[in-house]
Amino acid sequence: MPGLRRFFHSYFHKQPESKSPSHPEASTETDSSDATLVLPPPSSHRSPGLLPIRDRMRGSGKAQAPDANTQTMPKAGKKRATGGSAAAQKPYTKAQEAARYYNDTQNHGANRKADAGTKAQLNKLFDELISEEDKARDDLEPVAEIGAEQCMAYLERLNVNPASYELFVVLEIVRAESIGIITRAGFVDGWADVIAASGGSGRVTPDWAGQRQLVHARIAQALTDPNYFKTIYDFAFQVGREPGQKAITMAVAVGFWEGLYVPDKNPWRSAHVDWLGAWTRFLKEKFGVVKVNSDGEEEVEYKRTVSKDLWTQTRLFAAKSMQDETLSFWSEEQAWPGLIDEFVIWCKEKGIVPNANNGESMVVE
């Protein structure tokens, strides 16, 4: 079970479920299945991400290529009570926030992009995702979030493969801040915005069938629309970061690349070269340390991390390498990250880059 599939199998099925996972405050960093369905634009919401997995490492990235897109990601703020006293200015607890949010939507409160009836229906859908253990709690406050097991059940309900880019299609819609946690607010507001942006015969309905239809339309869209693929690619980096970190671990990055460029649907390869295979082999040779885990399986630990710049430029390099497998677009004078420069040189030394005249090369499997 390679790459991303092994990671998510381990994460969703081995990590203990938590009733109330905490969300440390993140820092600000810059760095179609149905032809009748009218796709609303992907959400513009961006939030810093958490990925509570083991064996994290630290590192840095490098320079900016000429055509890179960078974003300033908003800081996740805490909602505060209004009022004059010092006590009133303290943040609400997670349960209190959920109760306030739930009551606002039920009582036809702040209604920006979807009517209160739609949000009420979405709240009921979220309630269906809550575990039996949480449903049996004595307190009367609504559950603010669901954990790993319920997230997996939700993905299965939508017929989504969690070991591929399909995962990020769903998480981007529900405004997830981490893998393995979906909040009520993110689920309701995210889907409410999608529904409000749809219309006519292609209107998304606030039910499971409507969600499945929209998600699978976007899954197909990701294979044909470079701008939308960029949206979920960039979002993957956000949910892959630890709170307060500028980079993601290389182990997570490699797993994400293997899922985003899944071979049977969205391969990063050209006529003669398996570029994803070459890229991951290069990273393993340069930074990887192979260890055997408790299950007797080999795992690779990496001695550095992946910056936002390197993550962004890898997508651009992938797109160009699939169009020109001779890599004639690359030169040492350009502002590609240093690691990509090293990769190009490595490919040429290994004979992976095809000769422009005869197209011969070594395909890395």
Side-chain angles (χ1 to χ4, degrees):
M1 186 177 289
L4 191 62
R5 182 174 296 277
R6 181 190 292 127
F7 164 67
F8 285 116
H9 177 82
S10 173
Y11 184 80
F12 282 115
H13 294 288
K14 294 182 182 179
Q15 177 169 309
E17 185 78 18
S18 173
K19 281 188 179 181
S20 300
S22 62
H23 287 278
E25 187 171 354
S27 66
T28 302
E29 298 295 343
T30 302
D31 212 64
S32 167
S33 60
D34 186 344
T36 65
L37 181 64
V38 178
L39 281 177
S43 169
S44 61
H45 172 86
R46 297 289 181 267
S47 54
L50 322 174
L51 186 59
I53 64 174
R54 59 186 182 274
D55 299 330
R56 296 284 185 164
M57 294 165 286
R58 304 290 183 261
S60 62
K62 197 194 167 190
Q64 188 83 356
D67 52 350
N69 277 314
T70 59
Q71 297 178 344
T72 300
M73 283 165 279
K75 188 171 183 176
K78 294 182 179 179
K79 297 180 181 178
R80 295 182 178 271
T82 58
S85 68
Q89 298 303 317
K90 293 182 180 180
Y92 284 98
T93 65
K94 185 182 294 295
Q96 289 172 326
E97 285 291 356
R100 282 160 49 84
Y101 176 84
Y102 184 85
N103 290 333
D104 282 347
T105 57
Q106 293 298 308
N107 295 328
H108 300 192
N111 178 20
R112 297 180 179 178
K113 293 187 178 180
D115 60 34
T118 295
K119 287 193 172 183
Q121 289 176 284
L122 290 169
N123 268 299
K124 291 179 181 178
L125 292 183
F126 187 83
D127 288 339
E128 293 181 27
L129 299 174
I130 298 171
S131 68
E132 292 302 319
E133 181 181 3
D134 280 338
K135 288 179 180 178
R137 293 187 324 185
D138 293 333
D139 59 81
L140 300 178
E141 295 175 334
V143 175
E145 62 187 29
I146 57 173
E149 293 298 326
Q150 278 61 54
C151 287
M152 177 61 83
Y154 177 49
L155 296 173
E156 291 174 350
R157 186 188 287 264
L158 298 179
N159 298 323
V160 165
N161 178 9
S164 77
Y165 69 95
E166 298 178 12
L167 170 73
F168 302 115
V169 170
V170 177
L171 295 186
E172 193 270 339
I173 292 173
V174 300
R175 304 179 178 182
E177 294 185 353
S178 66
I179 291 177
I181 296 175
I182 297 176
T183 65
R184 179 185 294 273
F187 180 91
V188 173
D189 285 343
W191 275 111
D193 282 353
V194 167
I195 292 169
S198 64
S201 61
R203 178 173 172 79
V204 177
T205 55
D207 52 33
W208 299 125
Q211 290 195 9
R212 273 192 298 271
Q213 185 182 31
L214 185 281
V215 165
H216 284 273
R218 286 198 175 174
I219 287 171
Q221 181 185 359
L223 303 180
T224 60
D225 182 349
N227 289 329
Y228 180 57
F229 180 75
K230 177 184 180 299
T231 295
I232 61 172
Y233 182 96
D234 290 346
F235 182 81
F237 184 87
Q238 293 180 94
V239 295
R241 293 190 306 174
E242 284 188 349
Q245 296 299 312
K246 299 178 181 179
I248 60 177
T249 69
M250 186 165 282
V252 170
V254 169
F256 283 8
W257 279 319
E258 290 177 341
L260 288 160
Y261 294 105
V262 62
D264 61 335
K265 288 188 176 181
N266 189 41
W268 175 12
R269 67 182 301 148
S270 55
H272 302 93
V273 182
D274 173 11
W275 290 110
L276 177 63
W279 177 239
T280 55
R281 176 185 163 194
F282 164 73
L283 296 177
K284 181 178 178 180
E285 287 185 6
K286 187 171 179 65
F287 303 109
V289 177
V290 179
K291 295 185 177 181
V292 179
N293 63 22
S294 58
D295 295 327
E297 300 173 326
E298 285 191 353
E299 289 184 346
V300 182
E301 295 182 357
Y302 294 88
K303 298 178 289 183
R304 68 162 288 172
T305 57
V306 173
S307 68
K308 178 64 185 296
D309 177 63
L310 177 57
W311 179 260
T312 299
Q313 302 312 315
T314 300
R315 178 186 60 81
L316 297 172
F317 181 85
K320 289 180 177 292
S321 64
M322 287 188 282
Q323 296 170 356
D324 177 10
E325 63 180 12
T326 67
L327 306 186
S328 63
F329 60 86
W330 173 88
S331 74
E332 292 182 304
E333 289 71 35
Q334 293 175 331
W336 291 103
L339 193 59
I340 289 182
D341 291 337
E342 292 180 42
F343 173 60
V344 173
I345 294 170
W346 179 87
C347 286
K348 292 183 176 182
E349 290 175 347
K350 296 288 185 179
I352 295 172
V353 178
N355 184 299
N357 296 323
N358 57 31
E360 293 180 355
S361 69
M362 178 180 72
V363 177
V364 179
E365 299 296 345

